Structure formats: C-alpha cells, structure tokens
C-alpha cells in the first residue's frame, strides 16, 4: 500500500522528468546536438528554475536570496553560451572566420557579465557572497553531473 508521501514523490519525479525532457528538446532545437552537453546544460537550467521561485519567495529576508538568483541566472547565461560556442569549435572545421567569431562572442559575453556584475555590486549593492554563491551553481552542477556520469559508467562495467 502506497502512502501519500510516496505518491507525491512519484508525481514530482514524473513532473521533473517531463520538464527535463522539454528543456532537452528545446536545447536540441537550438543546436545542442551532443547528448552529454545537452544534459549538462539541462541540469543547470533546472537548477536555476528551482532557485528562481525560492529566491522570489524569500525576498523578504533581504537582498541575499535575490542576489543568489541573480548569480545563478548570470552563471546559466554564461554557461549556456560557452557550451554552445565550445560545441561549435570542437565539431566544426577550423577557419579564421570561426576564430574571430568565437573571440567576439567570448569578449562580448565577458563584457555583458562585467557590466551586470558592476550594476549588481555597485548600484544594487547586493551581497557579494550571495552573488558568488549563485555563480557557483554551475560548479555544483558540473560536479554532480560528472559524479552521475562516473556512477553510470561504473554501473555499466559491473
């Protein structure tokens, strides 16, 4: 006999699975053809989607939750475009135009990030620790993703 908690957990897993599949499908349409890269970006997007409502719900605690969300959004923005660029570099034949394009996109993204960080820290006076914690969601996602891949690989070998 199932308990109410088990049913809720099963429903939550099913909803997370549908959301993950939807995000992956959209990423595939946007050019993320490599499954591992697409899965990693999906995980980061899901982390950000989980953090966003929490930050909005707890804004009354001060700027900390909103700064965390801002850091997570900024990290996801950068990670998304970095992964897209790297995927193009690795799987496309090199030429001079590709190099110029990659460098312009990289420095453009760096400039946008610098302006965003300046505005958040200087003008909005958000807590830097919260902002850095939000930025570090990418590192946490990569560590968890890498651990999951290692676990999957070990499970297949066993």
């Amino acid at each position: 006999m199932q308990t109410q908690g088990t049913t809720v957990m099963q429903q939550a897993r099913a909803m997370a699975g549908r959301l993950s599949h939807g995000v992956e499908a959209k990423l595939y349409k946007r050019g993320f053809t490599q499954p591992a890269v697409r899965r990693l970006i999906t995980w980061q997007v899901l982390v950000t989607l989980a953090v966003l409502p929490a930050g909005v719900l707890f804004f009354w605690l001060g700027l900390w939750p909103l700064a965390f969300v801002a850091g997570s959004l900024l990290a996801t923005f950068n990670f998304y475009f970095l992964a897209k660029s790297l995927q193009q570099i690795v799987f496309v034949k090199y030429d001079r135009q590709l190099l110029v394009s990659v460098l312009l996109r990289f420095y453009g993204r760096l400039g946008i990030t610098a302006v965003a960080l300046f505005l958040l820290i200087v003008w909005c006076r958000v807590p830097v620790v919260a902002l850095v914690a939000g930025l570090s969601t990418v590192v946490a996602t990569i560590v968890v993703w890498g651990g999951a891949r290692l676990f999957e690989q070990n499970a297949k070998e066993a």
Side-chain angles (χ1 to χ4, degrees):
M1 186 166 132
Q2 289 184 346
T3 63
Q4 183 68 20
T6 306
T7 305
V8 170
M9 287 299 291
Q10 288 172 342
Q11 289 174 344
R13 279 192 201 125
M15 187 173 78
R18 287 190 303 271
L19 182 60
S20 175
H21 180 71
V23 169
E24 279 200 50
K26 288 183 182 187
L27 287 171
Y28 186 82
K29 288 179 184 175
R30 295 184 192 271
F32 287 92
T33 56
Q34 299 303 312
V37 174
R38 191 172 54 246
R39 175 69 47 95
L40 180 57
I41 298 297
T42 299
W43 283 24
Q44 179 60 34
V45 167
L46 293 177
V47 166
T48 301
L49 288 175
V51 165
L52 189 59
V56 172
L57 287 174
F58 293 108
F59 77 94
W60 53 273
L61 291 173
L63 285 177
W64 214 98
L66 295 177
F68 186 85
V69 168
S72 182
L73 287 169
L74 193 57
T76 302
F77 164 80
N78 275 295
F79 195 51
Y80 173 89
F81 287 106
L82 178 65
K84 190 166 182 121
S85 294
L86 287 177
Q87 185 176 254
Q88 289 172 347
I89 292 169
V90 171
F91 298 105
V92 175
K93 187 177 177 186
Y94 171 79
D95 66 349
R96 190 176 183 99
Q97 185 179 7
L98 175 67
L99 177 64
V100 171
S101 171
V102 168
L103 287 174
L104 285 175
R105 282 185 278 167
F106 175 78
Y107 285 113
R109 190 174 59 251
L110 184 65
I112 291 169
T113 302
V115 169
L117 287 172
F118 175 80
L119 293 174
L120 287 167
I121 294 170
V122 175
W123 281 4
C124 298
R125 300 199 186 276
V126 298
V128 175
V129 173
L131 191 60
V132 170
L135 289 167
S136 68
T137 59
V138 169
V139 175
T141 300
I142 291 171
V143 168
V144 171
W145 174 81
R149 286 193 45 120
L150 185 63
F151 179 76
E152 288 173 2
Q153 186 179 15
N154 288 340
K156 287 179 184 177
E157 290 176 3

